[in-house]
Each structure stands twice: as C-alpha cells, then as structure tokens.
Amino acid sequence: MELPDLKDDPHLKVLRPLVETYLAFWRMDSRHVRSLKLTPSQFDVIATLGDTKGLTCAELSTATLVTKGTLTGVLDRLEDKGLIRRTPVADDRRSTRICLTEKGDRLFKKTFAAHIAFLRPFFERALTTAEAEQLRTLLRRLHRSFQEKPTA
C-alpha cells in the first residue's frame, strides 16, 4: 500500500486541526469544570440528568461520554455527595433510575449556566450562528461515518 501524500488529500488534512481543536477544547473545558469542584465525568452526568425526570443507568451510559466501567464509581461519588438518588424501576427489577436530588438540581442550575457562559465566547468569537449550525451538521455526518461499517 502506497503512503498517501497528506499535502494533497483534503480529507486527511482535516485530521490534525480536528484533533488539535478537540484537545484545546478538552483542556479548557475540563479546567473550568474542575474549578466548579467537579470532575468532567461528574459534570457530564449532572448536566445530562438536569431538566429530566431521571434516566436509567443504561440511558445515562448512552447519553454521556462516561464509559460504562467508570459510570458506577461516578454515580457512587455523586450519591455520597447527596447529588443523585438511585431508585429501582417498577416494571424492570434489573434497572435503576438515577435522578438529581434537590441539592443536585441546584448544583446543575448553578454549574451548567456558569459553564455555558464560560464556553459561549469561544464559539461566538470563531463562528457565526450559521457557521455553527453548518459545523454541527458536518461533525454529525462525520461521526455517523465512523459508526458505519467500512466498505471494502
């Protein structure tokens, strides 16, 4: 197999800026989340549960970026802090519903609003509203492509 010429391949030229952007975002995002006295995984769970009536563990695992192996420990720590409550699902004894407590909901409202206010200027400085929508569409399309089985 011949090594591709990266200088001429418009698709491969996306790789480095994509990864650099993700890493820059991740550093800034996680630094701010930690200043709110949460880990990125804890924030992800709280932000996902906010404004919901709760989610099962399976739903939460799908909706967050927290791996299944990490989720139980994150939930244990949030429960110890009094931020979430686990309740059995009535019609499925194997499932547990995770809900924010009143304390967790107050934290969600405080930290989510603060985090969005922190992040928004980075996006507004770089993208118009139309460009943000276009980028969202393109990133979703690229994401779906990585989820599909490669063609031979």
Side-chain angles (χ1 to χ4, degrees), residues 91-141:
D91 55 342
D92 184 355
R93 294 186 322 182
R94 296 172 296 159
S95 292
T96 301
R97 180 164 304 285
I98 312 298
C99 303
L100 292 177
T101 61
E102 284 184 31
K103 180 180 176 183
D105 190 56
R106 284 192 306 273
L107 181 67
F108 161 71
K109 288 175 180 163
K110 177 183 163 190
T111 59
F112 191 72
H115 196 54
I116 294 303
F118 173 78
L119 290 176
R120 180 172 276 118
F122 294 99
F123 289 90
E124 290 175 342
R125 184 168 57 220
L127 303 168
T128 65
T129 301
E131 289 169 334
E133 281 299 319
Q134 183 181 20
L135 180 58
R136 180 175 179 254
T137 299
L138 294 172
L139 288 171
R140 284 184 158 185
R141 187 184 315 159

Side-chain angles (χ1 to χ4, degrees), residues 69-88:
T70 303
L71 186 59
T72 300
V74 170
L75 294 177
D76 289 344
R77 286 184 285 288
L78 291 174
E79 189 173 39
D80 290 345
K81 292 179 178 185
L83 299 172
I84 63 158
R85 174 180 60 255
R86 291 172 163 137
T87 56

Side-chain angles (χ1 to χ4, degrees), residues 4 6 9-23 139 142 146:
L6 297 179
D9 189 323
H11 296 98
L12 293 178
K13 287 163 95 176
V14 170
L15 289 175
R16 187 165 189 95
L18 180 64
V19 172
E20 288 173 341
T21 301
Y22 168 74
L23 291 173
L139 288 171
L142 186 59
F146 278 99

Side-chain angles (χ1 to χ4, degrees), residues 18-31:
L18 180 64
V19 172
E20 288 173 341
T21 301
Y22 168 74
L23 291 173
F25 168 79
W26 179 249
R27 281 189 295 270
M28 194 65 67
D29 180 74
S30 59
R31 187 177 305 134

